[in-house]
Amino acid sequence: MTETTTAVMREETAPTTGRKPRGEYAKSKEKRTAILDAALEVFSQSGYRAGSLREVAERVGMSEAGLLHHFRSKSALLMALLEHRDEMSRSRVDFDIPDGVEALRSLAELARFNAANPGIVELYCVLSAEATAPDHPAHDYFIDRYISVRDSVTRSFQRVADAGRLGDGVDPRRAAVATIALMDGLQVQWLLDPASTDMAEALHDVFRSLIRGYDLVGLENVLDGLDAKVEGASQDSPEDAAATPERDA
């Protein structure tokens, strides 16, 4: 038996724990992240149907077979990419906080974050249009996502209404539907001509028209600043100066 054969037999019969070394996990995670970044570029530029796994693999310097080791299929890669996008959104918007106004403010600021990451906006616009076809792998995902987002935004508007701050005649559910439609429309306009609109400010403007005291936080910050100035001035008042013994010349 040759030395090579013996070595192979030792490797095949050696006990395994089923765990990868820590370094391999880190490398695998880095590679998956690189694949997702490449898929974001490919699918946002070419769409899901036209974008190929080969092109994604080439962008990260690996074979298509190597890519399939990390994501078993093209549709699995797509769903992982959409989940990655949702995780980024959830980290910036918490619809469960008691303050509905603050939740809506963070939703507007999410648009500002997206504007700094155009690939995300392109991906969403391209895929949401493609996914209207029932046979698209993301069809059910987008149906469920719209239901979830409508419900979440509605809850935020309802909390605003419960606090007595929603404008007269404004229905929380209809306001939520209109907000989502506005965000989608702003993204298309912005992709066609980035200088045409500021997505975040456009949303803030609409919320100002729907919510009483929407800018109250900003006003409170200004008042806090004025209070600090007044307090500082009072410390240097003539009375304080008179109470301080003069130093020898």
Side-chain angles (χ1 to χ4, degrees):
M1 184 178 294
T2 64
E3 181 177 348
T4 302
T5 304
T6 303
V8 170
M9 289 183 64
R10 284 200 301 267
E11 181 178 351
E12 289 179 346
T13 58
T16 60
T17 62
R19 297 180 180 178
K20 293 182 179 180
R22 185 176 301 174
E24 288 187 28
Y25 272 120
K27 290 180 181 178
S28 178
K29 184 177 180 180
E30 289 177 2
K31 183 62 68 174
R32 284 175 63 89
T33 300
I35 293 171
L36 288 174
D37 289 341
L40 173 62
E41 295 177 359
V42 172
F43 293 159
S44 62
Q45 293 170 3
S46 305
Y48 171 78
R49 296 190 187 280
S52 68
L53 287 180
R54 178 177 297 178
E55 185 178 0
V56 174
E58 288 176 351
R59 294 199 182 200
V60 291
M62 64 190 308
S63 66
E64 186 173 338
L67 185 152
L68 291 172
H69 173 73
H70 296 276
F71 299 96
R72 67 180 183 278
S73 65
K74 185 179 179 182
S75 59
L77 173 59
L78 174 64
M79 299 314 296
L81 182 57
L82 290 171
E83 178 58 30
H84 178 61
R85 176 192 182 278
D86 286 346
E87 286 177 0
M88 290 190 292
S89 297
R90 285 192 293 266
S91 69
R92 286 170 167 76
V93 183
D94 183 2
F95 286 115
D96 293 327
I97 59 176
D99 189 342
V101 177
E102 190 58 36
L104 294 172
R105 282 198 192 96
S106 62
L107 182 63
E109 287 305 308
L110 175 63
R112 196 182 307 281
F113 168 78
N114 288 342
N117 298 271
I120 295 175
V121 182
E122 286 186 80
L123 174 73
Y124 179 84
C125 288
V126 171
L127 291 182
S128 61
E130 283 189 341
T132 57
D135 63 338
H136 194 281
H139 181 75
D140 291 340
Y141 163 85
F142 276 100
I143 289 177
D144 293 340
R145 186 178 186 280
Y146 271 110
I147 291 173
S148 174
V149 174
R150 277 196 301 268
D151 289 344
S152 296
V153 179
T154 296
R155 289 197 303 272
S156 294
F157 273 114
Q158 186 60 58
R159 291 188 179 106
V160 176
D162 293 342
R165 297 180 61 182
L166 197 60
D168 294 336
V170 178
D171 177 77
R173 184 72 174 183
R174 290 198 294 268
V177 172
T179 296
I180 297 168
L182 174 63
M183 293 186 73
D184 287 352
L186 285 170
Q187 288 184 147
V188 174
Q189 292 184 60
W190 181 81
L191 283 173
L192 291 171
D193 182 7
S196 66
T197 184
D198 183 320
M199 294 187 289
E201 287 306 314
L203 283 166
H204 283 307
D205 285 343
V206 170
F207 291 152
R208 289 185 185 102
S209 70
L210 299 175
I211 300 171
R212 298 186 184 96
Y214 179 74
D215 290 325
L216 188 59
V217 171
L219 178 60
E220 289 174 349
N221 289 337
V222 171
L223 293 176
D224 288 343
L226 291 175
D227 288 343
K229 289 182 180 180
V230 171
E231 183 179 350
S234 66
Q235 293 176 354
D236 297 329
S237 63
E239 291 81 359
D240 292 338
T244 303
E246 294 184 0
R247 295 181 179 178
D248 294 335

